[in-house]
Amino acid sequence: MLNLLYLVHDVTDPAIRRRILMLEAGGAQVTVAGFRRGSDVPTDNNDFIDLGVTLDGKFGQRIAAVGRAAFSIGSKLSRRAKPDVIIARNLEMLALANRANAVFGGAVPIVYECLDIHRLLLRKDAAGRALRMAEGYLGRNVSLLITSSPAFVEHYFGPVSRLKAPVLLLENQVIEFDTDAMAHPQPRPPAAGTPWKIGWFGALRCRKSLQLLAAFSRAMDGRFEIVLRGRPAYSEFEDFNDFVESEPYLSFQGAYRNPEDLGRIYDEVQFSWAIDFFEEGLNSSWLLPNRLYEGCRHGAVPVAMRGTETARFLESRSIGLVLDRADSGALVGLLGAMTPERYEAEFRKVADVGARSWVFDKADCRRLVSRLASLRAGGDRSAAFSDIHETQSNEGGLL
């Protein structure tokens, strides 16, 4: 059995839980070490190695926390079995991966999992150059880079980053192990006299999206309602709760954590908001978010922003709705005249792609763990950026 040490920036992040489930389903034994956000602890993993508390959006505080953890991680790992592979999720954890590797003698392969490109890494000033130099230095022993969008490689890891390693493209597909019993989504037009619903689910960190959806729903005078679910990044909003409560057609339904909840919550909406202006023109233009795959898997018609990787992804499959401009008038033009017939046609386009295309199953998990296990034998580092391993074939899955 492959023994993995997984270093994470937030042990309560649902995306972390999904990755752990994937690795365990693939046959790996996973030890989790990471930071907490406040007093939250993972309810389903009481054996995690606690590295302390970090604060969302407080880069300086997080760096200080990493520094403290670098001194304490040796004692916390000393009684643990030597891992076969160390996975570091995000740049701050890559620093700790090198320290952990030293604790175990310095010969453990390191995997760098980077699913977002922080705006500081993209700055063209001295601070940006220094951070990229740090990434290159910390990643000098990285055996594999895992990322979730080809645009990250195209725009950052290839031309800008100093880190050079083979790339594994691992898209944010939905975990679904029992594919024989896979439920297929059904259209759900609203009952006569009730509003259409747009779901904005997941990491809620985009103030511009919130304001745009509020303005659109007001302009439609109740013909559309906006349902928000997930974890708001309160550091990015001045008054998230008060703002939502003051809007007549917005509602926040709280966080969700279990993959089993996805079918139920997406079945309550007709459309999925797959737009993020959080780092407009940079990371948010390049990513392929979880909500894209979750929404399509469960039959919600995605709405994307033209010029982004998400829009290109949808257009290549001839599905979804693409917004030309980030203003409420354009959104009214895109959705305002929605009819049950048009909705049914858009739903069918998504459904016809096939639920399997959006799913990561047990066979995919085994292939992922097998790829990680190959690093123990000193996997070939010469393939850096020459061979992106796509996660989907015509049948779906990891290649």
Side-chain angles (χ1 to χ4, degrees):
M1 177 178 286
L2 187 70
N3 182 14
L4 299 175
L5 174 61
Y6 194 18
L7 301 174
V8 303
H9 66 295
D10 179 1
V11 293
T12 62
D13 187 337
I16 300 296
R17 180 174 182 267
R18 288 196 297 272
R19 183 69 82 230
I20 294 169
L21 288 174
M22 290 166 60
L23 294 169
E24 291 178 340
Q29 179 177 324
V30 184
T31 298
V32 179
F35 294 103
R36 292 175 288 111
R37 294 290 166 90
S39 59
D40 291 345
V41 296
T43 57
D44 53 354
N45 188 347
N46 295 321
D47 188 41
F48 78 96
I49 300 171
D50 189 356
L51 299 180
V53 175
T54 56
L55 302 176
D56 188 32
K58 304 295 184 182
F59 192 72
Q61 187 273 338
R62 287 164 64 177
I63 293 298
V66 169
R68 291 191 295 271
F71 283 102
S72 64
I73 196 170
S75 62
K76 293 180 177 182
L77 294 176
S78 61
R79 292 183 295 275
R80 302 276 178 162
K82 180 179 179 179
D84 298 308
V85 176
I86 298 171
I87 303 176
R89 185 159 177 139
N90 291 355
L91 181 56
E92 63 215 79
M93 307 314 296
L94 185 57
L96 293 180
N98 284 281
R99 175 70 183 113
N101 195 10
V103 170
F104 293 115
V108 181
I110 295 174
V111 175
Y112 180 31
E113 184 179 26
C114 183
L115 310 183
D116 282 298
I117 311 299
H118 197 282
R119 59 183 176 271
L120 292 178
L121 283 164
L122 297 165
R123 285 172 53 163
K124 298 181 179 180
D125 58 8
R129 289 192 295 273
L131 200 56
R132 290 190 294 274
M133 288 180 64
E135 181 186 55
Y137 177 76
L138 294 172
R140 65 195 184 280
N141 296 320
V142 164
S143 299
L144 183 69
L145 167 67
I146 293 177
T147 194
S148 57
S149 170
F152 290 154
V153 178
E154 177 186 353
H155 295 289
Y156 178 70
F157 285 113
V160 178
S161 174
R162 294 170 179 252
L163 185 145
K164 303 299 176 185
V167 177
L168 176 65
L169 183 65
L170 194 62
E171 294 177 36
N172 291 310
Q173 292 166 294
V174 178
I175 297 175
E176 202 159 334
F177 296 147
D178 189 6
T179 52
D180 291 336
M182 184 180 292
H184 296 282
Q186 299 298 319
R188 54 270 190 177
T194 62
W196 299 96
K197 292 186 177 181
I198 301 173
W200 181 23
F201 301 158
L204 308 178
R205 59 185 183 178
C206 179
R207 183 169 56 249
K208 186 172 178 177
S209 283
L210 185 63
Q211 294 169 341
L212 174 55
L213 289 167
F216 165 73
S217 64
R218 281 180 176 267
M220 295 306 300
D221 195 24
R223 287 192 56 228
F224 279 78
E225 290 185 359
I226 315 301
V227 181
L228 285 68
R229 292 181 182 271
R231 305 200 330 168
Y234 288 105
S235 61
E236 301 302 324
F237 302 96
E238 293 181 3
D239 53 358
F240 177 84
N241 292 329
D242 290 342
F243 182 90
V244 172
E245 289 177 6
S246 70
E247 289 295 325
Y249 309 116
L250 267 64
S251 65
F252 175 52
Q253 302 296 325
Y256 60 96
R257 180 169 172 79
N258 297 318
E260 299 79 13
D261 294 337
L262 293 174
R264 174 182 58 81
I265 65 176
Y266 277 100
D267 198 43
E268 296 173 357
V269 303
Q270 291 82 37
F271 304 95
S272 172
W273 188 253
I275 296 176
D276 187 338
F277 302 104
F278 176 62
E279 291 177 350
E280 195 170 358
L282 301 172
N283 184 74
S284 65
S285 295
W286 304 337
L287 55 75
L288 294 173
N290 288 306
R291 61 177 68 93
L292 169 64
Y293 300 87
E294 293 171 356
C296 290
R297 164 63 187 96
H298 296 290
V301 178
V303 181
M305 189 71 213
R306 190 169 304 282
T308 65
E309 187 68 16
T310 300
R312 286 189 286 272
F313 178 96
L314 295 176
E315 288 168 339
S316 71
R317 291 157 176 79
S318 299
I319 62 174
L321 301 171
V322 177
L323 182 64
D324 289 320
R325 302 188 317 277
D327 62 62
S328 60
L331 195 51
V332 169
L334 182 67
L335 292 174
M338 185 61 58
T339 63
E341 293 75 19
R342 184 186 174 204
Y343 160 72
E344 177 95 15
E346 296 297 341
F347 170 87
R348 288 298 171 198
K349 291 177 186 177
V350 175
D352 287 348
V353 174
R356 183 65 185 81
S357 298
W358 314 107
V359 165
F360 203 88
D361 65 15
K362 275 198 173 181
D364 298 321
C365 294
R366 288 192 290 269
R367 283 191 283 271
L368 170 60
V369 171
S370 177
R371 178 69 180 92
L372 296 175
S374 71
L375 301 176
R376 291 182 297 187
D380 182 15
R381 288 180 52 87
S382 65
F385 304 113
S386 63
D387 185 18
I388 299 177
H389 298 259
E390 300 285 350
T391 60
Q392 292 190 16
S393 64
N394 291 333
E395 299 296 326
L398 178 74
L399 295 180

